[in-house]
Amino acid sequence: MKKVAIIMGSDSDMPVVKGAAEKLSALGIPYEMRVMSAHRTPDMVSEFARTAHENGTGVIIAAAGKAAHLAGVIAAHTVLPVIGIPIKSSTLDGLDALLSTVQMPSGIPVATVAIDGAANAAILAAQMLAMSDGALREKLFKMRVEMQQAVIKKDEGVRTLQF
């Protein structure tokens, strides 16, 4: 199975990014985590993105706050799918990071999840990998059934409430 690379612009993004790592682990998907900055280590980011496919990566998740150019810079240097996680890290509550991540020029897409949406980034990466992995696809189906059952159980609990 291909691995997922989780790249964060700063180690201060770890509390959010941890959610992606936990979800990937729960699904049995190998991953690697790195800290790289689109602005402070641009050559490192470029080299990583250009060689990611050769190093067994199938999808890249990039998390960054403020200017949040990390996912776009990575996407400019690879044809692998890139998923951006805008991080809420500034006085604009992450809106600046969301817009910087989602507003990509034609031809260089970045799939973008909600602000601090690390778990959904991991699930989206898993869905991409599951296109060629039946066992992973079954794990995703099972996860959906478990979510459905949890909602049904909550519904049953609410139905019995009386105020």
Side-chain angles (χ1 to χ4, degrees):
M1 174 186 302
K2 297 271 187 188
K3 66 184 171 187
V4 174
I6 304 171
I7 312 302
M8 61 195 104
S10 168
D11 63 350
S12 65
D13 300 331
M14 182 63 78
V16 171
V17 170
K18 181 179 157 191
E22 290 170 346
K23 187 62 73 175
L24 292 171
S25 289
L27 291 167
I29 298 171
Y31 66 89
E32 68 172 312
M33 288 201 309
R34 304 278 306 270
V35 175
M36 295 181 213
S37 169
H39 302 107
R40 294 181 295 268
T41 60
D43 293 337
M44 187 174 162
V45 171
S46 173
E47 175 68 17
F48 175 83
R50 282 195 318 272
T51 61
H53 184 266
E54 298 163 16
N55 293 323
T57 300
V59 180
I60 300 171
I61 296 173
K66 297 186 181 181
H69 294 123
L70 183 59
V73 169
I74 290 171
H77 289 93
T78 187
V79 296
L80 291 175
V82 177
I83 303 167
I85 305 172
I87 301 290
K88 180 179 177 179
S89 63
S90 71
T91 56
L92 297 177
D93 289 331
L95 183 59
D96 49 347
L98 173 64
L99 295 175
S100 294
T101 305
V102 77
Q103 292 290 84
M104 292 298 298
S106 181
I108 311 294
V110 170
T112 307
V113 296
I115 296 167
D116 291 349
N120 269 355
I123 293 167
L124 183 56
Q127 290 172 327
M128 291 172 179
L129 294 174
M131 290 172 45
S132 61
D133 186 326
L136 180 54
R137 194 168 36 256
E138 288 302 315
K139 287 180 184 179
L140 289 167
F141 279 125
K142 181 180 178 198
M143 184 182 74
R144 290 277 178 101
V145 168
E146 290 169 354
M147 287 190 300
Q148 178 184 22
Q149 291 170 344
V151 171
I152 291 168
K153 185 174 182 176
K154 289 176 184 179
D155 176 56
E156 290 168 355
V158 169
R159 286 177 170 193
T160 62
L161 291 178
Q162 291 187 5
F163 298 99

